[in-house]
């Protein structure tokens, strides 16, 4: 169960912080140049945060009691390969989803 | 102002095909937040207040895992830091607009409206400020409508989705698919590998703090790899 005080704090603070990030240069800072190191680091925020957030659940899924699961590992491998080769997020997610549902049936049919 | 109207309609037409990305993503958020026990209004307010799907999903999972508040906020904010780049990149085009307009644009600065607008403004240097503003709001009209409606539909589906569908794995697939499609350069790959590696190594650290260290290390590694690539 999600604690409601935590939830509403997250809604207000994350909402305000996200707005300030979007407003920052457009609204206040204008055409000021950013330091090069900051430009570089900002470029990699999404690829650093998103996969790390889910990596533990891939290796040690709560749904299997923390045991590594061949279906989930195969799903991730297919998703990554499809994404790299297609450069298309929807194609990657679709390929991963199909693997996740079809792999158990293929494995049990062997 | 017929030119502005034309620009608005063009923006809307360009944004419409993105429904294939937005609908499943918004529905997933609606389904998962409903399964996490959030009510329809709570989910919708969350979505309207933050309006950034990846950070909403991230915060939702961490809240379910009972992570500390500061970790939830830091992770959600880190996911959205990329939008500072969007704000920087659009300032030369829209910085001359009145403050009220810029403040409104800022709220609607999402991945798709940014990518479409920057591409259009760069391609057509002759656009006036009024036309650029109209184009931006044109892109955002279908995106905002589709995002909120699909979220509501997901909420309604939420409790009807059986556990056997394995939705626990929908978010990992979504985030990994998004990341894989973004791996355009070697530094992107380095950033991802270092971040994931460090996070897994630090998995024993109190909940979520390993992720923040790993993400920071990944961002730094990406920046360093990029600097090396330029030197050689």
């Amino acid at each position: 169960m999600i604690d409601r005080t935590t939830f509403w704090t997250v809604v207000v603070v994350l909402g305000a912080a996200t707005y300030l990030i979007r407003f920052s240069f457009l609204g206040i800072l204008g055409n000021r140049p950013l330091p090069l190191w900051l430009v570089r680091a900002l470029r990699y925020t999404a690829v650093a945060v998103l996969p790390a957030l889910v990596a533990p659940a891939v290796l040690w899924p709560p749904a299997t009691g923390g045991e590594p699961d061949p279906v989930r590992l195969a799903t991730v491998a297919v998703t990554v390969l499809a994404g790299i080769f297609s450069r298309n997020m929807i194609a990657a997610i679709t390929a991963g989803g199909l693997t996740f549902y079809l792999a158990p049936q293929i494995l049990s049919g062997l | 102002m017929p030119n502005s109207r034309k620009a608005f309609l063009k923006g809307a037409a360009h944004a419409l095909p993105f429904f294939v990305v937005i609908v499943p993503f918004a529905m997933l958020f609606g389904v998962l937040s409903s399964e996490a026990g959030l009510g329809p209004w709570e989910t919708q307010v969350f979505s309207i207040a933050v309006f950034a799907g990846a950070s909403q999903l991230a915060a939702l999972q961490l809240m379910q895992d009972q992570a500390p508040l500061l970790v939830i906020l830091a992770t959600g904010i880190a996911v959205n830091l990329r939008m500072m780049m969007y704000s920087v990149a659009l300032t030369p085009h829209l910085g001359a607009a009145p403050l009220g307009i810029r403040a409104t644009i800022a709220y609607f600065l999402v991945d798709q409206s940014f990518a479409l607008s920057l591409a259009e403004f760069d391609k057509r240097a002759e656009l006036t400020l009024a036309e650029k503003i109209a184009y931006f709001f044109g892109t955002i009209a279908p995106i905002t409508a589709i995002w909120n409606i699909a979220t509501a539909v997901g909420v309604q589906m939420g409790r009807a989705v059986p556990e056997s569908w394995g939705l626990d794995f929908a978010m990992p697939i979504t985030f990994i698919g998004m990341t894989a499609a973004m791996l355009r350069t070697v530094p992107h790959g380095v950033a991802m590998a270092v971040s994931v590696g460090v996070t897994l190594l630090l998995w024993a650290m109190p909940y979520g703090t390993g992720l923040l260290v790993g993400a920071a290390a990944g961002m730094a590694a990406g920046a360093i790899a990029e600097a090396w690539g330029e030197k050689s």
Side-chain angles (χ1 to χ4, degrees):
Chain A
M1 197 60 195
I2 291 175
D3 176 65
R4 283 307 185 271
T5 314
T6 307
F7 172 73
W8 287 110
T9 312
V10 167
V11 168
V12 171
V13 178
L14 184 56
T18 302
Y19 182 76
L20 285 179
I21 289 171
R22 288 164 162 153
F23 189 64
S24 59
F25 282 83
L26 206 49
I28 306 164
L29 301 170
N31 273 324
R32 248 170 270 182
L34 279 178
L36 186 58
W37 63 266
L38 183 59
V39 174
R40 284 184 170 142
L42 287 175
R43 226 192 308 276
Y44 301 106
T45 50
V47 289
V49 179
L50 295 179
L53 188 68
V54 295
V58 168
L59 283 189
W60 309 296
T64 64
E67 282 297 303
D69 169 30
V71 171
R72 285 175 164 76
L73 295 176
T75 298
V76 169
V78 169
T79 311
V80 169
L81 290 175
I84 290 176
F85 286 109
S86 71
R87 300 273 164 88
N88 181 320
M89 164 186 147
I90 291 295
I93 294 169
T94 309
L98 285 175
T99 311
F100 188 61
Y101 287 110
L102 295 180
Q105 297 174 20
I106 294 168
L107 288 174
S108 67
L110 288 179
Chain B
M1 269 198 278
N3 276 343
S4 291
R5 170 177 283 193
K6 234 169 75 184
F8 181 92
L9 292 175
K10 193 173 176 193
H14 286 175
L16 210 49
F18 280 96
F19 82 91
V20 291
V21 191
I22 299 166
V23 167
F25 203 29
M27 281 178 63
L28 177 66
F29 174 71
V31 168
L32 292 183
S33 42
S34 156
E35 289 197 331
L38 295 182
W41 286 109
E42 290 172 321
T43 304
Q44 216 71 36
V45 169
F46 191 10
S47 224
I48 290 169
V50 181
F51 200 24
S55 71
Q56 289 167 222
L57 279 176
L60 186 69
Q61 179 183 313
L62 292 171
M63 283 192 283
Q64 272 186 288
D65 294 347
Q66 314 291 337
L69 180 61
L70 277 180
V71 171
I72 303 170
L73 292 173
T75 307
I77 290 169
V79 171
N80 289 340
L81 269 181
R82 70 185 184 287
M83 292 169 181
M84 196 177 283
M85 292 301 299
Y86 301 174
S87 193
V88 171
L90 285 185
T91 297
H93 295 288
L94 301 171
L99 181 64
I101 302 269
R102 280 182 285 141
T104 314
I105 288 173
Y107 171 75
F108 290 108
L109 200 50
V110 299
D111 296 317
Q112 291 86 5
S113 63
F114 162 74
L116 285 170
S117 297
L118 192 66
E120 179 76 5
F121 300 166
D122 281 346
K123 201 166 61 186
R124 302 191 51 206
E126 77 278 8
L127 288 176
T128 64
L129 178 63
E131 286 167 337
K132 285 178 177 176
I133 294 170
Y135 181 88
F136 181 88
F137 283 112
T139 64
I140 211 62
I143 291 172
T144 310
I146 295 168
W147 171 254
N148 280 292
I149 293 168
T151 303
V153 173
V155 167
Q156 293 309 317
M157 285 173 60
R159 286 160 207 271
V161 174
E163 208 155 286
S164 61
W165 283 19
L167 267 189
D168 64 289
F169 214 55
M171 200 179 94
I173 295 174
T174 305
F175 280 11
I176 290 166
M178 288 170 78
T179 308
M182 286 189 274
L183 292 179
R184 258 157 293 171
T185 66
V186 173
H188 282 89
V190 171
M192 184 198 78
V194 169
S195 169
V196 168
V198 172
T199 302
L200 291 175
L201 278 177
L202 298 180
W203 187 229
M205 276 172 66
Y207 194 88
T209 44
L211 165 69
L212 292 177
V213 179
M219 284 164 65
I224 293 168
E226 184 187 317
W228 276 357
E230 278 171 11
K231 257 183 238 159
S232 57

